[in-house]
Amino acid sequence: ETAPGSSAALLENSGIPLPLIESNVVILGFNGAIAVHSGRILYKKTLDPRVAREVLEFCHACAAVNAAFFQDGRGLILHDSSWRHLYAARLNIEIDVVEDIGFDDICKIVVMSPGEEVATKDNIDTFMASKPAATVRAVTQWKDTGSPAEWLEVMSPDVNKGKAVRDLAADLGVPLSQVACFGDGMNDLEMLQIPEVLSVVIGESPYPEVRQAAVIEGNACDAELPGVVQILSAILEDKI
């Protein structure tokens, strides 16, 4: 399997010896719904298939909305390839256009709509509010994407990166005091706030809560080497 997002590409080009990466680094994706280690999925939380199907039906009923479905390390979108490039650019992941979606193994759904459609946000929020909290977690804040598009993230109710880190550490028998977490967004906050871990905030995060959670800030490093790579190298070589 491939790791979602940009983390895999960063590691591949980091110059850090591959054996160190393969033996020590786990990449969390889809808000902590999936964890990939050395090309293998270690951890996965999936949506109730009925909820995934209902989201797709809602999108079909609302012409201004489209959804991408994330399964393991890849994204899937039905039919309309014009949305594919928007998702790929915003989410930094390959999106495959398919003719059918299987709902049994969906980690996350991203529902996107053009911002000009004033009624769309209210329609989606009303739809998600009708779903029992026990079956779905919706990240309801609308994100500033720097474009006319807005999106909503739909996941299993127990998905967050803090829970994923705790569960993985327990499953692997690794004390949290030996774990370092790297992140820069609000969806990283739960794991960065775990008291026992070494929390590293990448670059200049725009979120004060995230910066406050940092033990180390990645932008406070040698300008000749990206901060996250320098810190990760030091951790893997037992220099921190």
Side-chain angles (χ1 to χ4, degrees), residues 128-209:
M128 293 311 306
S130 71
K131 304 297 136 197
T135 63
V136 66
R137 175 189 176 206
V139 180
T140 55
Q141 67 266 26
W142 291 85
K143 299 187 175 185
D144 177 10
T145 62
S147 79
E150 299 174 309
W151 72 64
L152 178 74
E153 299 175 344
V154 184
M155 297 153 285
S156 177
D158 57 350
V159 165
N160 72 68
K161 291 186 180 180
K163 180 173 177 12
V165 168
R166 291 183 183 277
D167 288 351
L168 279 165
D171 291 345
L172 297 172
V174 176
L176 287 170
S177 60
Q178 295 182 22
V179 174
C181 294
F182 292 74
D184 61 358
M186 288 301 293
N187 67 348
D188 300 314
L189 187 59
E190 290 98 339
M191 71 173 180
L192 295 173
Q193 289 178 329
I194 298 173
E196 300 92 335
V197 307
L198 178 64
S199 299
V200 182
V201 172
I202 302 168
E204 297 181 3
S205 172
Y207 307 105
E209 305 97 314

Side-chain angles (χ1 to χ4, degrees), residues 15 23 26 28 34 45 52 54 60 134 166 189 196 203:
S23 59
V26 175
L28 297 183
I34 189 171
K45 295 286 185 180
E54 287 169 359
H60 283 167
R166 291 183 183 277
L189 187 59
E196 300 92 335

Side-chain angles (χ1 to χ4, degrees), residues 71-141:
Q71 194 175 64
D72 295 340
R74 66 185 189 133
L76 307 172
I77 190 170
L78 278 173
H79 311 310
D80 186 3
S81 60
S82 65
W83 288 82
R84 176 185 183 186
H85 304 294
L86 183 57
Y87 277 111
R90 290 297 167 196
L91 305 177
N92 201 17
I93 188 172
E94 286 295 320
I95 304 289
D96 297 327
V97 177
V98 296
E99 296 302 315
D100 191 26
I101 295 283
F103 297 104
D104 292 331
D105 205 27
I106 300 296
C107 296
K108 175 178 170 179
I109 304 172
V110 175
V111 181
M112 189 175 286
S113 68
E116 295 105 357
E117 294 289 337
V118 177
T120 299
K121 176 183 181 300
D122 291 337
N123 289 343
I124 295 176
D125 286 348
T126 299
F127 168 75
M128 293 311 306
S130 71
K131 304 297 136 197
T135 63
V136 66
R137 175 189 176 206
V139 180
T140 55
Q141 67 266 26

